[in-house]
Amino acid sequence: MKPRAAASNLRGMLKTSLCLLALLIMATSCSTNSDPTKPRSASASPKTVADFQKAGDKFKDVLRLPEFETTPEAIKATADRTMATADAGFDAIGRLPAGQVRFANTVGALDDIGFQIAGTMNRLLLIKETSTNATVREAATEAVKRLEEWSVGLDYREDVYRAVKAYADTKPKLTGEDARLLEFTMRDYRPAGRALPKAKRDEVERLRKELTAVST
């Protein structure tokens, strides 16, 4: 996936996750018997989470119940761990020689990293808005600010961009969602100012980080 860790994209992912949860509930409701006078068949029984997980395997979907952080210490630890893990993944991409770039270790790896970041951000944004504990809400707010500012910088990793562009320049014969993922990855580098001179690109990065701070 493209670096969807960008703050603007992560908020959209939270909305998407909530929409998917609503759809899951609707799908479960639709599987019930609408006529109470008729006996319910086994196939009409509501599906379990395990059933949905199994059905999603062939689409490479991952469905699991989130474990929410409940203390300020846990929230900080989660944010620290998320950034450290993602940075290590980006470092691995950035070290790739041009002759070793593949879909899995560039665009695919970005997608995997982005998925982990989005999962953390979705939980912390929800905690920030809904926790009944003011201290926990404040900790989540600070963690979201840190993650959003840090995530802006991911778009400006020169080493990662070099590796991803090196792969794109091979003009790989991709189809379906893989082709679309590569297209969107390269497209989303442009709003970050990738085509601008470095001085102006640095200014765009600074302004984006400032925006995330004030918007949170």
Side-chain angles (χ1 to χ4, degrees), residues 147-215:
L147 285 165
E148 287 186 336
E149 182 175 347
W150 161 81
S151 69
V152 169
L154 300 180
D155 286 347
Y156 299 90
R157 289 279 303 253
E158 296 290 342
D159 53 346
V160 174
Y161 177 72
R162 174 194 54 77
V164 175
K165 188 174 186 305
Y167 173 70
D169 287 345
T170 67
K171 306 297 182 184
K173 304 297 183 182
L174 301 175
T175 59
E177 61 186 23
D178 288 352
R180 191 170 179 82
L181 189 55
L182 175 59
E183 176 191 351
F184 278 32
T185 298
M186 299 310 298
R187 183 199 67 179
D188 287 353
Y189 270 118
R190 291 197 294 272
R194 180 53 56 182
L196 297 174
K198 188 176 187 310
K200 290 189 176 181
R201 191 164 64 246
D202 291 345
E203 178 66 5
V204 173
E205 179 181 4
R206 184 190 69 77
L207 290 171
R208 287 181 62 196
K209 288 181 177 179
E210 182 179 326
L211 181 61
T212 63
V214 297
S215 63

Short mmCIF file of all heavy atoms in Angstrom, two decimals, residues 147-215:
data_model
loop_
_atom_site.label_atom_id
_atom_site.label_comp_id
_atom_site.label_asym_id
_atom_site.label_seq_id
_atom_site.Cartn_x
_atom_site.Cartn_y
_atom_site.Cartn_z
N LEU A 147 1.93 10.60 16.30
CA LEU A 147 1.86 9.71 15.14
C LEU A 147 1.58 10.48 13.85
O LEU A 147 2.16 10.16 12.80
CB LEU A 147 0.79 8.64 15.37
CG LEU A 147 1.17 7.52 16.34
CD1 LEU A 147 -0.07 6.74 16.77
CD2 LEU A 147 2.19 6.58 15.71
N GLU A 148 0.70 11.47 13.93
CA GLU A 148 0.36 12.21 12.72
C GLU A 148 1.55 13.03 12.23
O GLU A 148 1.85 13.06 11.03
CB GLU A 148 -0.85 13.11 12.97
CG GLU A 148 -2.15 12.34 13.08
CD GLU A 148 -3.37 13.24 13.18
OE1 GLU A 148 -3.21 14.41 13.61
OE2 GLU A 148 -4.47 12.79 12.83
N GLU A 149 2.25 13.69 13.14
CA GLU A 149 3.42 14.47 12.72
C GLU A 149 4.52 13.56 12.18
O GLU A 149 5.13 13.84 11.15
CB GLU A 149 3.95 15.30 13.89
CG GLU A 149 5.14 16.17 13.49
CD GLU A 149 5.59 17.08 14.60
OE1 GLU A 149 4.86 17.24 15.61
OE2 GLU A 149 6.70 17.65 14.48
N TRP A 150 4.76 12.47 12.88
CA TRP A 150 5.76 11.49 12.42
C TRP A 150 5.39 10.92 11.07
O TRP A 150 6.24 10.76 10.19
CB TRP A 150 5.87 10.38 13.46
CG TRP A 150 6.49 9.11 13.00
CD1 TRP A 150 7.83 8.83 12.86
CD2 TRP A 150 5.79 7.93 12.59
NE1 TRP A 150 8.01 7.55 12.39
CE2 TRP A 150 6.78 6.97 12.22
CE3 TRP A 150 4.45 7.57 12.50
CZ2 TRP A 150 6.44 5.69 11.78
CZ3 TRP A 150 4.12 6.31 12.07
CH2 TRP A 150 5.10 5.39 11.72
N SER A 151 4.11 10.62 10.85
CA SER A 151 3.69 9.97 9.62
C SER A 151 3.86 10.88 8.41
O SER A 151 4.08 10.39 7.30
CB SER A 151 2.23 9.51 9.72
OG SER A 151 1.34 10.61 9.75
N VAL A 152 3.77 12.19 8.60
CA VAL A 152 4.00 13.11 7.49
C VAL A 152 5.41 12.90 6.94
O VAL A 152 5.63 12.88 5.72
CB VAL A 152 3.81 14.57 7.94
CG1 VAL A 152 4.31 15.54 6.86
CG2 VAL A 152 2.34 14.85 8.23
N GLY A 153 6.37 12.72 7.83
CA GLY A 153 7.75 12.55 7.41
C GLY A 153 7.99 11.31 6.58
O GLY A 153 8.98 11.23 5.83
N LEU A 154 7.10 10.33 6.68
CA LEU A 154 7.28 9.10 5.91
C LEU A 154 7.21 9.35 4.40
O LEU A 154 7.86 8.66 3.62
CB LEU A 154 6.23 8.06 6.32
CG LEU A 154 6.23 7.64 7.78
CD1 LEU A 154 5.13 6.61 8.04
CD2 LEU A 154 7.58 7.08 8.20
N ASP A 155 6.42 10.34 4.01
CA ASP A 155 6.31 10.66 2.59
C ASP A 155 7.59 11.26 2.04
O ASP A 155 7.76 11.35 0.82
CB ASP A 155 5.17 11.66 2.36
CG ASP A 155 3.80 11.01 2.49
OD1 ASP A 155 3.74 9.77 2.50
OD2 ASP A 155 2.81 11.75 2.59
N TYR A 156 8.49 11.69 2.93
CA TYR A 156 9.69 12.39 2.50
C TYR A 156 10.95 11.56 2.70
O TYR A 156 12.06 12.09 2.64
CB TYR A 156 9.79 13.74 3.23
CG TYR A 156 8.61 14.62 2.93
CD1 TYR A 156 7.46 14.57 3.72
CD2 TYR A 156 8.60 15.45 1.82
CE1 TYR A 156 6.35 15.34 3.43
CE2 TYR A 156 7.49 16.22 1.51
CZ TYR A 156 6.37 16.17 2.32
OH TYR A 156 5.26 16.93 2.01
N ARG A 157 10.77 10.25 2.91
CA ARG A 157 11.92 9.37 3.00
C ARG A 157 12.50 9.19 1.59
O ARG A 157 11.95 8.47 0.75
CB ARG A 157 11.50 8.01 3.58
CG ARG A 157 11.16 8.00 5.06
CD ARG A 157 12.42 7.94 5.90
NE ARG A 157 13.25 6.79 5.61
CZ ARG A 157 13.39 5.72 6.40
NH1 ARG A 157 12.71 5.66 7.53
NH2 ARG A 157 14.20 4.74 6.07
N GLU A 158 13.63 9.84 1.34
CA GLU A 158 14.24 9.78 0.02
C GLU A 158 14.63 8.37 -0.37
O GLU A 158 14.49 7.95 -1.53
CB GLU A 158 15.47 10.70 -0.03
CG GLU A 158 15.18 12.18 0.17
CD GLU A 158 14.46 12.79 -1.00
OE1 GLU A 158 14.48 12.19 -2.11
OE2 GLU A 158 13.87 13.88 -0.84
N ASP A 159 15.15 7.61 0.61
CA ASP A 159 15.60 6.25 0.31
C ASP A 159 14.43 5.35 -0.08
O ASP A 159 14.53 4.53 -1.00
CB ASP A 159 16.36 5.67 1.50
CG ASP A 159 15.58 5.75 2.81
OD1 ASP A 159 14.57 6.48 2.87
OD2 ASP A 159 15.99 5.08 3.78
N VAL A 160 13.29 5.53 0.61
CA VAL A 160 12.12 4.71 0.30
C VAL A 160 11.55 5.09 -1.06
O VAL A 160 11.22 4.22 -1.87
CB VAL A 160 11.04 4.88 1.40
CG1 VAL A 160 9.76 4.15 1.01
CG2 VAL A 160 11.56 4.37 2.74
N TYR A 161 11.45 6.38 -1.32
CA TYR A 161 10.95 6.82 -2.63
C TYR A 161 11.84 6.31 -3.76
O TYR A 161 11.33 5.88 -4.80
CB TYR A 161 10.88 8.35 -2.66
CG TYR A 161 10.43 8.88 -4.01
CD1 TYR A 161 9.11 8.75 -4.42
CD2 TYR A 161 11.34 9.50 -4.87
CE1 TYR A 161 8.70 9.23 -5.66
CE2 TYR A 161 10.94 9.98 -6.10
CZ TYR A 161 9.62 9.85 -6.50
OH TYR A 161 9.23 10.31 -7.72
N ARG A 162 13.15 6.34 -3.55
CA ARG A 162 14.06 5.86 -4.57
C ARG A 162 13.79 4.39 -4.89
O ARG A 162 13.75 3.99 -6.07
CB ARG A 162 15.51 6.01 -4.09
CG ARG A 162 16.55 5.40 -5.02
CD ARG A 162 17.90 5.27 -4.35
NE ARG A 162 17.81 4.55 -3.09
CZ ARG A 162 17.69 3.23 -2.98
NH1 ARG A 162 17.61 2.49 -4.08
NH2 ARG A 162 17.63 2.66 -1.80
N ALA A 163 13.59 3.57 -3.85
CA ALA A 163 13.35 2.14 -4.07
C ALA A 163 12.01 1.90 -4.76
O ALA A 163 11.91 1.09 -5.69
CB ALA A 163 13.38 1.40 -2.73
N VAL A 164 10.97 2.61 -4.33
CA VAL A 164 9.65 2.44 -4.94
C VAL A 164 9.66 2.91 -6.39
O VAL A 164 9.10 2.24 -7.28
CB VAL A 164 8.57 3.19 -4.12
CG1 VAL A 164 7.22 3.12 -4.83
CG2 VAL A 164 8.46 2.62 -2.72
N LYS A 165 10.30 4.03 -6.65
CA LYS A 165 10.36 4.54 -8.02
C LYS A 165 11.19 3.61 -8.91
O LYS A 165 10.86 3.41 -10.09
CB LYS A 165 10.95 5.94 -8.05
CG LYS A 165 10.85 6.61 -9.43
CD LYS A 165 11.31 8.04 -9.39
CE LYS A 165 11.05 8.72 -10.74
NZ LYS A 165 11.67 8.02 -11.86
N ALA A 166 12.25 3.03 -8.33
CA ALA A 166 13.06 2.10 -9.11
C ALA A 166 12.21 0.91 -9.55
O ALA A 166 12.34 0.42 -10.68
CB ALA A 166 14.25 1.63 -8.28
N TYR A 167 11.33 0.46 -8.66
CA TYR A 167 10.43 -0.64 -9.04
C TYR A 167 9.43 -0.17 -10.10
O TYR A 167 9.21 -0.87 -11.09
CB TYR A 167 9.69 -1.18 -7.83
CG TYR A 167 8.64 -2.20 -8.21
CD1 TYR A 167 9.02 -3.45 -8.68
CD2 TYR A 167 7.29 -1.88 -8.14
CE1 TYR A 167 8.06 -4.38 -9.06
CE2 TYR A 167 6.33 -2.81 -8.51
CZ TYR A 167 6.72 -4.05 -8.97
OH TYR A 167 5.77 -4.96 -9.36
N ALA A 168 8.84 1.01 -9.90
CA ALA A 168 7.86 1.52 -10.87
C ALA A 168 8.50 1.70 -12.25
O ALA A 168 7.84 1.46 -13.27
CB ALA A 168 7.28 2.84 -10.37
N ASP A 169 9.76 2.09 -12.26
CA ASP A 169 10.45 2.32 -13.53
C ASP A 169 10.71 1.03 -14.31
O ASP A 169 11.03 1.09 -15.50
CB ASP A 169 11.78 3.05 -13.29
CG ASP A 169 11.58 4.51 -12.91
OD1 ASP A 169 10.47 5.02 -13.11
OD2 ASP A 169 12.54 5.12 -12.40
N THR A 170 10.56 -0.11 -13.66
CA THR A 170 10.71 -1.38 -14.40
C THR A 170 9.48 -1.69 -15.24
O THR A 170 9.48 -2.68 -15.98
CB THR A 170 10.97 -2.54 -13.43
OG1 THR A 170 9.79 -2.77 -12.62
CG2 THR A 170 12.17 -2.28 -12.53
N LYS A 171 8.43 -0.86 -15.10
CA LYS A 171 7.18 -1.05 -15.83
C LYS A 171 6.65 -2.48 -15.66
O LYS A 171 6.43 -3.22 -16.61
CB LYS A 171 7.36 -0.77 -17.32
CG LYS A 171 7.95 0.59 -17.64
CD LYS A 171 7.04 1.71 -17.18
CE LYS A 171 7.63 3.07 -17.56
NZ LYS A 171 6.82 4.20 -17.03
N PRO A 172 6.41 -2.88 -14.42
CA PRO A 172 5.98 -4.26 -14.17
C PRO A 172 4.61 -4.55 -14.78
O PRO A 172 3.75 -3.66 -14.86
CB PRO A 172 5.92 -4.34 -12.64
CG PRO A 172 5.69 -2.93 -12.20
CD PRO A 172 6.44 -2.08 -13.18
N LYS A 173 4.41 -5.78 -15.19
CA LYS A 173 3.15 -6.20 -15.78
C LYS A 173 2.20 -6.65 -14.67
O LYS A 173 2.05 -7.84 -14.38
CB LYS A 173 3.37 -7.34 -16.78
CG LYS A 173 4.35 -7.01 -17.89
CD LYS A 173 3.84 -5.86 -18.76
CE LYS A 173 4.81 -5.60 -19.92
NZ LYS A 173 4.36 -4.45 -20.75
N LEU A 174 1.57 -5.69 -14.03
CA LEU A 174 0.66 -5.98 -12.93
C LEU A 174 -0.78 -5.91 -13.41
O LEU A 174 -1.09 -5.24 -14.40
CB LEU A 174 0.87 -4.99 -11.78
CG LEU A 174 2.26 -4.93 -11.16
CD1 LEU A 174 2.33 -3.82 -10.13
CD2 LEU A 174 2.64 -6.27 -10.54
N THR A 175 -1.66 -6.59 -12.70
CA THR A 175 -3.08 -6.54 -13.00
C THR A 175 -3.87 -6.34 -11.72
O THR A 175 -3.34 -6.49 -10.61
CB THR A 175 -3.56 -7.85 -13.68
OG1 THR A 175 -3.30 -8.96 -12.80
CG2 THR A 175 -2.82 -8.07 -14.99
N GLY A 176 -5.13 -6.00 -11.86
CA GLY A 176 -6.04 -5.93 -10.73
C GLY A 176 -5.59 -4.96 -9.65
O GLY A 176 -5.06 -3.88 -9.93
N GLU A 177 -5.79 -5.36 -8.42
CA GLU A 177 -5.53 -4.47 -7.30
C GLU A 177 -4.04 -4.15 -7.14
O GLU A 177 -3.68 -3.08 -6.65
CB GLU A 177 -6.07 -5.06 -6.00
CG GLU A 177 -5.46 -6.38 -5.59
CD GLU A 177 -6.15 -6.98 -4.37
OE1 GLU A 177 -7.31 -6.64 -4.11
OE2 GLU A 177 -5.50 -7.79 -3.70
N ASP A 178 -3.15 -5.06 -7.58
CA ASP A 178 -1.72 -4.77 -7.50
C ASP A 178 -1.36 -3.60 -8.41
O ASP A 178 -0.60 -2.70 -8.02
CB ASP A 178 -0.90 -6.00 -7.88
CG ASP A 178 -0.94 -7.09 -6.82
OD1 ASP A 178 -1.48 -6.82 -5.73
OD2 ASP A 178 -0.44 -8.20 -7.08
N ALA A 179 -1.91 -3.60 -9.62
CA ALA A 179 -1.65 -2.51 -10.54
C ALA A 179 -2.20 -1.20 -10.00
O ALA A 179 -1.56 -0.14 -10.09
CB ALA A 179 -2.27 -2.82 -11.91
N ARG A 180 -3.38 -1.26 -9.42
CA ARG A 180 -4.01 -0.05 -8.87
C ARG A 180 -3.22 0.46 -7.66
O ARG A 180 -3.07 1.67 -7.47
CB ARG A 180 -5.45 -0.36 -8.47
CG ARG A 180 -6.28 0.88 -8.14
CD ARG A 180 -7.73 0.48 -8.00
NE ARG A 180 -8.59 1.59 -7.68
CZ ARG A 180 -9.07 2.47 -8.55
NH1 ARG A 180 -8.74 2.35 -9.82
NH2 ARG A 180 -9.86 3.45 -8.18
N LEU A 181 -2.70 -0.45 -6.87
CA LEU A 181 -1.93 -0.06 -5.70
C LEU A 181 -0.66 0.68 -6.11
O LEU A 181 -0.30 1.71 -5.51
CB LEU A 181 -1.58 -1.29 -4.87
CG LEU A 181 -0.97 -1.06 -3.49
CD1 LEU A 181 -1.85 -0.17 -2.64
CD2 LEU A 181 -0.75 -2.39 -2.80
N LEU A 182 0.04 0.16 -7.12
CA LEU A 182 1.23 0.84 -7.60
C LEU A 182 0.88 2.23 -8.15
O LEU A 182 1.57 3.22 -7.87
CB LEU A 182 1.92 0.01 -8.67
CG LEU A 182 3.12 0.67 -9.36
CD1 LEU A 182 4.21 1.02 -8.35
CD2 LEU A 182 3.67 -0.24 -10.45
N GLU A 183 -0.20 2.29 -8.93
CA GLU A 183 -0.63 3.58 -9.50
C GLU A 183 -0.91 4.59 -8.40
O GLU A 183 -0.47 5.75 -8.46
CB GLU A 183 -1.88 3.37 -10.34
CG GLU A 183 -2.47 4.66 -10.90
CD GLU A 183 -3.85 4.45 -11.51
OE1 GLU A 183 -4.28 3.29 -11.67
OE2 GLU A 183 -4.50 5.47 -11.84
N PHE A 184 -1.66 4.18 -7.37
CA PHE A 184 -2.01 5.10 -6.29
C PHE A 184 -0.80 5.47 -5.45
O PHE A 184 -0.71 6.59 -4.94
CB PHE A 184 -3.09 4.46 -5.40
CG PHE A 184 -4.48 4.60 -5.95
CD1 PHE A 184 -4.71 4.62 -7.32
CD2 PHE A 184 -5.56 4.72 -5.10
CE1 PHE A 184 -5.99 4.76 -7.83
CE2 PHE A 184 -6.85 4.86 -5.60
CZ PHE A 184 -7.06 4.88 -6.98
N THR A 185 0.13 4.54 -5.29
CA THR A 185 1.33 4.83 -4.52
C THR A 185 2.12 5.96 -5.16
O THR A 185 2.51 6.93 -4.49
CB THR A 185 2.22 3.57 -4.41
OG1 THR A 185 1.51 2.55 -3.71
CG2 THR A 185 3.49 3.89 -3.65
N MET A 186 2.35 5.85 -6.45
CA MET A 186 3.11 6.89 -7.15
C MET A 186 2.31 8.18 -7.24
O MET A 186 2.87 9.28 -7.12
CB MET A 186 3.49 6.41 -8.55
CG MET A 186 4.36 5.16 -8.57
SD MET A 186 5.82 5.26 -7.48
CE MET A 186 6.71 6.63 -8.23
N ARG A 187 1.01 8.07 -7.41
CA ARG A 187 0.17 9.26 -7.49
C ARG A 187 0.21 10.05 -6.19
O ARG A 187 0.28 11.29 -6.19
CB ARG A 187 -1.27 8.85 -7.79
CG ARG A 187 -2.24 10.02 -7.96
CD ARG A 187 -3.68 9.57 -7.80
NE ARG A 187 -3.95 9.14 -6.43
CZ ARG A 187 -5.14 8.71 -6.00
NH1 ARG A 187 -6.15 8.63 -6.86
NH2 ARG A 187 -5.32 8.34 -4.75
N ASP A 188 0.19 9.34 -5.06
CA ASP A 188 0.10 10.02 -3.77
C ASP A 188 1.42 10.64 -3.33
O ASP A 188 1.44 11.38 -2.34
CB ASP A 188 -0.41 9.05 -2.71
CG ASP A 188 -1.89 8.76 -2.88
OD1 ASP A 188 -2.53 9.42 -3.73
OD2 ASP A 188 -2.41 7.88 -2.18
N TYR A 189 2.49 10.35 -4.02
CA TYR A 189 3.73 11.05 -3.73
C TYR A 189 3.69 12.49 -4.26
O TYR A 189 4.38 13.37 -3.75
CB TYR A 189 4.92 10.33 -4.36
CG TYR A 189 5.55 9.28 -3.47
CD1 TYR A 189 5.57 7.94 -3.83
CD2 TYR A 189 6.14 9.65 -2.26
CE1 TYR A 189 6.16 6.99 -3.01
CE2 TYR A 189 6.73 8.71 -1.43
CZ TYR A 189 6.74 7.38 -1.81
OH TYR A 189 7.32 6.44 -0.99
N ARG A 190 2.88 12.75 -5.28
CA ARG A 190 2.86 14.07 -5.90
C ARG A 190 2.34 15.16 -4.96
O ARG A 190 2.95 16.23 -4.88
CB ARG A 190 2.04 14.03 -7.19
CG ARG A 190 2.71 13.23 -8.30
CD ARG A 190 2.11 13.55 -9.67
NE ARG A 190 0.73 13.11 -9.79
CZ ARG A 190 0.36 11.90 -10.19
NH1 ARG A 190 1.28 10.99 -10.50
NH2 ARG A 190 -0.91 11.57 -10.29
N PRO A 191 1.20 14.95 -4.24
CA PRO A 191 0.75 16.01 -3.33
C PRO A 191 1.75 16.32 -2.22
O PRO A 191 1.67 17.39 -1.61
CB PRO A 191 -0.55 15.43 -2.75
CG PRO A 191 -1.00 14.42 -3.73
CD PRO A 191 0.24 13.83 -4.30
N ALA A 192 2.68 15.41 -1.97
CA ALA A 192 3.70 15.65 -0.95
C ALA A 192 4.78 16.59 -1.47
O ALA A 192 5.71 16.94 -0.73
CB ALA A 192 4.32 14.33 -0.51
N GLY A 193 4.68 16.99 -2.76
CA GLY A 193 5.66 17.90 -3.32
C GLY A 193 6.86 17.20 -3.90
O GLY A 193 7.93 17.81 -4.05
N ARG A 194 6.71 15.93 -4.26
CA ARG A 194 7.83 15.15 -4.75
C ARG A 194 8.46 15.77 -5.99
O ARG A 194 9.67 15.67 -6.20
CB ARG A 194 7.35 13.72 -5.05
CG ARG A 194 8.40 12.79 -5.58
CD ARG A 194 9.63 12.74 -4.72
NE ARG A 194 9.34 12.38 -3.34
CZ ARG A 194 10.29 12.32 -2.40
NH1 ARG A 194 11.53 12.62 -2.70
NH2 ARG A 194 9.96 11.99 -1.17
N ALA A 195 7.67 16.46 -6.82
CA ALA A 195 8.20 17.05 -8.05
C ALA A 195 8.85 18.41 -7.82
O ALA A 195 9.43 18.97 -8.74
CB ALA A 195 7.09 17.18 -9.09
N LEU A 196 8.78 18.94 -6.60
CA LEU A 196 9.32 20.27 -6.32
C LEU A 196 10.81 20.19 -5.98
O LEU A 196 11.31 19.14 -5.57
CB LEU A 196 8.58 20.88 -5.13
CG LEU A 196 7.08 21.14 -5.30
CD1 LEU A 196 6.48 21.60 -3.97
CD2 LEU A 196 6.82 22.16 -6.39
N PRO A 197 11.53 21.30 -6.10
CA PRO A 197 12.91 21.35 -5.62
C PRO A 197 12.94 21.06 -4.13
O PRO A 197 11.95 21.28 -3.42
CB PRO A 197 13.34 22.80 -5.92
CG PRO A 197 12.40 23.26 -6.98
CD PRO A 197 11.09 22.55 -6.74
N LYS A 198 14.08 20.58 -3.64
CA LYS A 198 14.14 20.12 -2.25
C LYS A 198 13.76 21.21 -1.25
O LYS A 198 13.08 20.94 -0.26
CB LYS A 198 15.54 19.60 -1.92
CG LYS A 198 15.59 18.93 -0.54
CD LYS A 198 16.93 18.32 -0.26
CE LYS A 198 16.90 17.52 1.04
NZ LYS A 198 16.34 18.24 2.19
N ALA A 199 14.19 22.43 -1.48
CA ALA A 199 13.88 23.50 -0.53
C ALA A 199 12.37 23.70 -0.40
O ALA A 199 11.84 23.83 0.71
CB ALA A 199 14.54 24.80 -0.98
N LYS A 200 11.67 23.69 -1.53
CA LYS A 200 10.21 23.86 -1.48
C LYS A 200 9.55 22.60 -0.91
O LYS A 200 8.53 22.69 -0.23
CB LYS A 200 9.68 24.16 -2.87
CG LYS A 200 10.06 25.55 -3.37
CD LYS A 200 9.34 25.91 -4.67
CE LYS A 200 9.66 27.34 -5.09
NZ LYS A 200 8.95 27.71 -6.34
N ARG A 201 10.11 21.44 -1.21
CA ARG A 201 9.57 20.20 -0.67
C ARG A 201 9.69 20.17 0.85
O ARG A 201 8.78 19.75 1.56
CB ARG A 201 10.30 19.01 -1.29
CG ARG A 201 9.65 17.68 -1.01
CD ARG A 201 10.16 16.61 -1.93
NE ARG A 201 11.56 16.31 -1.76
CZ ARG A 201 12.50 16.53 -2.67
NH1 ARG A 201 12.19 17.07 -3.84
NH2 ARG A 201 13.77 16.23 -2.44
N ASP A 202 10.81 20.67 1.36
CA ASP A 202 11.00 20.75 2.81
C ASP A 202 9.98 21.69 3.43
O ASP A 202 9.48 21.45 4.55
CB ASP A 202 12.42 21.24 3.14
CG ASP A 202 13.48 20.21 2.81
OD1 ASP A 202 13.11 19.03 2.60
OD2 ASP A 202 14.67 20.57 2.76
N GLU A 203 9.65 22.77 2.71
CA GLU A 203 8.66 23.72 3.22
C GLU A 203 7.28 23.07 3.26
O GLU A 203 6.51 23.28 4.20
CB GLU A 203 8.64 24.97 2.35
CG GLU A 203 7.61 26.03 2.74
CD GLU A 203 7.88 26.66 4.10
OE1 GLU A 203 8.94 26.37 4.71
OE2 GLU A 203 7.04 27.45 4.55
N VAL A 204 6.94 22.30 2.23
CA VAL A 204 5.66 21.59 2.23
C VAL A 204 5.59 20.63 3.42
O VAL A 204 4.56 20.55 4.11
CB VAL A 204 5.47 20.81 0.91
CG1 VAL A 204 4.21 19.94 0.98
CG2 VAL A 204 5.36 21.76 -0.27
N GLU A 205 6.66 19.91 3.68
CA GLU A 205 6.70 18.98 4.81
C GLU A 205 6.48 19.74 6.12
O GLU A 205 5.71 19.31 6.98
CB GLU A 205 8.03 18.24 4.85
CG GLU A 205 8.13 17.26 6.01
CD GLU A 205 9.46 16.53 6.06
OE1 GLU A 205 10.34 16.83 5.22
OE2 GLU A 205 9.63 15.67 6.94
N ARG A 206 7.16 20.88 6.28
CA ARG A 206 7.03 21.66 7.51
C ARG A 206 5.59 22.13 7.71
O ARG A 206 5.02 22.03 8.81
CB ARG A 206 7.97 22.87 7.47
CG ARG A 206 7.96 23.69 8.77
CD ARG A 206 8.72 24.98 8.59
NE ARG A 206 8.03 25.90 7.70
CZ ARG A 206 6.96 26.63 8.07
NH1 ARG A 206 6.46 26.54 9.30
NH2 ARG A 206 6.38 27.45 7.21
N LEU A 207 4.97 22.61 6.63
CA LEU A 207 3.61 23.11 6.73
C LEU A 207 2.62 21.98 7.02
O LEU A 207 1.66 22.17 7.78
CB LEU A 207 3.21 23.82 5.43
CG LEU A 207 3.91 25.16 5.16
CD1 LEU A 207 3.61 25.66 3.76
CD2 LEU A 207 3.50 26.19 6.21
N ARG A 208 2.85 20.82 6.43
CA ARG A 208 1.96 19.69 6.69
C ARG A 208 2.04 19.25 8.15
O ARG A 208 1.03 18.92 8.78
CB ARG A 208 2.31 18.52 5.77
CG ARG A 208 1.90 18.72 4.32
CD ARG A 208 2.26 17.52 3.49
NE ARG A 208 1.56 16.32 3.94
CZ ARG A 208 1.91 15.08 3.60
NH1 ARG A 208 2.96 14.88 2.82
NH2 ARG A 208 1.22 14.05 4.05
N LYS A 209 3.25 19.25 8.71
CA LYS A 209 3.41 18.88 10.12
C LYS A 209 2.74 19.91 11.03
O LYS A 209 2.11 19.56 12.03
CB LYS A 209 4.89 18.74 10.45
CG LYS A 209 5.54 17.52 9.86
CD LYS A 209 7.01 17.41 10.24
CE LYS A 209 7.62 16.13 9.69
NZ LYS A 209 9.07 15.99 10.02
N GLU A 210 2.87 21.16 10.66
CA GLU A 210 2.22 22.22 11.44
C GLU A 210 0.70 22.07 11.38
O GLU A 210 -0.01 22.25 12.40
CB GLU A 210 2.63 23.59 10.88
CG GLU A 210 2.05 24.78 11.63
CD GLU A 210 2.50 26.10 11.05
OE1 GLU A 210 3.65 26.18 10.56
OE2 GLU A 210 1.71 27.05 11.08
N LEU A 211 0.19 21.72 10.22
CA LEU A 211 -1.25 21.53 10.06
C LEU A 211 -1.78 20.39 10.90
O LEU A 211 -2.84 20.49 11.52
CB LEU A 211 -1.58 21.29 8.58
CG LEU A 211 -3.06 21.11 8.24
CD1 LEU A 211 -3.86 22.34 8.61
CD2 LEU A 211 -3.22 20.79 6.76
N THR A 212 -1.03 19.27 10.94
CA THR A 212 -1.50 18.15 11.76
C THR A 212 -1.57 18.51 13.22
O THR A 212 -2.48 18.08 13.95
CB THR A 212 -0.59 16.92 11.58
OG1 THR A 212 0.74 17.23 12.03
CG2 THR A 212 -0.55 16.46 10.14
N ALA A 213 -0.61 19.33 13.68
CA ALA A 213 -0.59 19.71 15.09
C ALA A 213 -1.80 20.56 15.46
O ALA A 213 -2.45 20.32 16.48
CB ALA A 213 0.71 20.46 15.40
N VAL A 214 -2.11 21.53 14.63
CA VAL A 214 -3.23 22.43 14.97
C VAL A 214 -4.58 21.76 14.73
O VAL A 214 -5.56 22.06 15.41
CB VAL A 214 -3.15 23.75 14.17
CG1 VAL A 214 -1.88 24.50 14.55
CG2 VAL A 214 -3.20 23.52 12.68
N SER A 215 -4.65 20.85 13.75
CA SER A 215 -5.95 20.21 13.46
C SER A 215 -6.33 19.22 14.55
O SER A 215 -7.50 19.08 14.88
CB SER A 215 -5.90 19.51 12.10
OG SER A 215 -4.96 18.47 12.11
#
